[in-house]
Amino acid sequence: MNLHGGGAGVISSALGGHLPGAQLSPDAAAIAAEGSFYTPIAGSREKGFSARPVLYGMKLAGVLAGGRMRPALFDQPR
């Protein structure tokens, strides 16, 4: 599992004081307090940890890994 990233402060510093996603969410401050926007698992020892949407995307990628593509034909009626 990919657990790299760090807290919002670390990522913001690495990006010149900019935290991607901060302008997109009205809950940005609360989200950033628990970790970055793109971490799969976020939280704290005091409040507990929870899965973020990125984790579920990673799980889906793991399920699809090694799969084979199948051809599909699509003929749209006119």
Side-chain angles (χ1 to χ4, degrees):
M1 181 179 289
N2 181 0
L3 297 175
H4 78 281
V10 173
I11 293 174
S12 179
S13 282
L15 297 174
H18 171 70
L19 188 61
Q23 294 83 18
L24 301 177
S25 172
D27 302 324
I31 293 169
E34 292 185 353
S36 73
F37 291 92
Y38 305 107
T39 188
I41 300 171
S44 67
R45 290 182 182 177
E46 296 79 26
K47 293 183 179 182
F49 294 89
S50 61
R52 293 268 182 90
V54 172
L55 177 73
Y56 298 105
M58 292 166 57
K59 288 178 74 166
L60 176 62
V63 169
L64 297 175
R68 295 190 324 205
M69 299 294 286
R70 308 229 5 147
L73 300 175
F74 178 72
D75 186 17
Q76 184 177 4
R78 296 179 191 202

